[in-house]
Amino acid sequence: MENHIFLLMLLFLVQYYSVSISVSSSNETDQQAQVAFKDLVISPSQFLENNWTKNTSFCSWFGVTCSPKRQRVVALALPDMQLQGTISSSLANLSFLSVLNLENNSFHGGIPFGLGHLPRLQVVDVRNNQLQGSIPTILFQCRRVQVISLAFNKLGGEIWKGPWFVPKLRVLNLRNNSLTGIIPPSLGNATKLMNFSLAGNRISGNLPKEIGNLSPLATLSLYDNQLIGSIPAPLFNISSLLLANLAFNSLSGSHFLNEGNIVSNLEFLSVSNNQIPSNICQLRELQVLSISVNDITGEIPRNIGCLSKHEDFLIGDNPIKGTIPASLANISTLQYVSCTRNRLEVTSNHYRSSSSKP
Ligand SMILES: *[C@@H]1O[C@H](CO)[C@@H](O)[C@H](O)[C@H]1NC(C)=O
Ligand SMILES: *[C@@H]1O[C@H](CO)[C@@H](O)[C@H](O)[C@H]1NC(C)=O
Ligand SMILES: *[C@@H]1O[C@H](CO)[C@@H](O)[C@H](O)[C@H]1NC(C)=O
Ligand SMILES: *[C@@H]1O[C@H](CO)[C@@H](O)[C@H](O)[C@H]1NC(C)=O
Ligand SMILES: *[C@@H]1O[C@H](CO)[C@@H](O)[C@H](O)[C@H]1NC(C)=O
Ligand SMILES: *[C@@H]1O[C@H](CO)[C@@H](O)[C@H](O)[C@H]1NC(C)=O
Ligand SMILES: *[C@@H]1O[C@H](CO)[C@@H](O)[C@H](O)[C@H]1NC(C)=O
Ligand SMILES: *[C@@H]1O[C@H](CO)[C@@H](O)[C@H](O)[C@H]1NC(C)=O
């Protein structure tokens, strides 16, 4: 009889224990992680504090999306909320998290390193905050990550030089931070990358030729950095490339296009403060060419009129000499020419050496 009771008790204990294990390793952890997150956040009129209360399921809290079956947090989206505070490292305990969007708030402090370990993470968007510290290197080794947007913060340190393993990455936006270091050749491993911006940082070194591996690349913004060396020719083999802004670096680009290349659909090219590519004519789809504020002394290619789809041609603030080629007048689509403050002479009656918009 006593044995019987003992067995029953044991059975009960085992069941109780396994139930409590399965709970704590499930949505209980998610709730704790979010409460810890909330505790470090200040929201206007305490909106978040009042909304995220324990008398409602955390799955119905503002900005929280749970998976329907398992009731696990899959998305935390609190953009444009004027939130202040730091981002709790407890978010790294949300093991089903796939989307984190804290865009356009006033978070300071660092990006929790543990986030990069979340196996389902697809989107990290914390752009437009005041985050400091360095980028968790593990983010560059996230198998499923598709969007990393950390732009407009105060992040520093070097870009991760080690091997990148981000086979699904489509958007990498690190614009307007204080990042240093180089663009590593292993960037070429990010073969799904479409939009890549490092503009407004302090990146140095060369633009690696592996950038030509990024076959879906549509926009490349690297302006306002300290890049040197030549613009790698493979970049212009990327047929999907629409925008390349390489302005305000120290790149040389005079022969970056290979002869006979069927080059890209590039519509916008800015090489201001770098060298004008001499065989620019191969960029047949080019609509905007910006070469303003150039250090260069080279001339505008004579045959510039080959750019039949040209709409804007911006060459203001240039110390460049020489003449504006008459062939510019052959560009029937040209709408805007800005050649202010430079030493160009005009050889054609079609254009005045100032802004003109027909
Ligand atoms: C929290 O916000 C959501 C979405 O606005 C709302 O549906 C819910 O009722 C709020 N809960 C509380 C407790 O305020
Ligand atoms: C939840 O609890 C808070 C106090 O913790 C209370 O102010 C609020 O009215 C409650 N909300 C609901 C929907 O019961
Ligand atoms: C955890 O999930 C179970 C169902 O799987 C649900 O009954 C319970 O309410 C959830 N807990 C919270 C805090 O939402
Ligand atoms: C950022 O948030 C502020 C206030 O919440 C809003 O006025 C502004 O439009 C937002 N900016 C962007 C770029 O979303
Ligand atoms: C993550 O969860 C574990 C286990 O529940 C807990 O011990 C730890 O403190 C949590 N980490 C953070 C940063 O909240
Ligand atoms: C980006 O950074 C530059 C300086 O590097 C600054 O002048 C500019 O205002 C910043 N833009 C925004 C939107 O913060
Ligand atoms: C990543 O790129 C580097 C350098 O280009 C290469 O050596 C390495 O094998 C690549 N790794 C993966 C996982 O593709
Ligand atoms: C990439 O940039 C292009 C052009 O600005 C934009 O239309 C597109 O939506 C962006 N793609 C993604 C995935 O954000």
Side-chain angles (χ1 to χ4, degrees), residues 89-129:
S89 55
S90 68
L91 293 187
N93 269 354
L94 296 174
S95 45
F96 283 70
L97 193 70
S98 142
V99 174
L100 177 65
N101 182 357
L102 301 176
E103 178 199 342
N104 194 23
N105 284 293
S106 300
F107 284 104
H108 65 273
I111 300 173
F113 274 60
L115 280 181
H117 289 295
L118 291 174
R120 293 171 173 83
L121 197 65
Q122 292 182 9
V123 175
V124 185
D125 189 346
V126 294
R127 93 192 102 137
N128 222 353
N129 279 282

Side-chain angles (χ1 to χ4, degrees), residues 205-207 222 226-232 245-254 271-276 294 296:
N206 296 321
L207 192 48
L222 302 176
Q226 291 154 18
L227 297 169
I228 55 167
S230 56
I231 301 172
N245 195 339
L246 308 174
F248 305 105
N249 283 290
S250 301
L251 294 163
S252 56
S254 50
V271 289
S272 302
N273 217 41
N274 296 303
Q275 277 180 26
I276 304 177
N294 251 289
I296 49 143

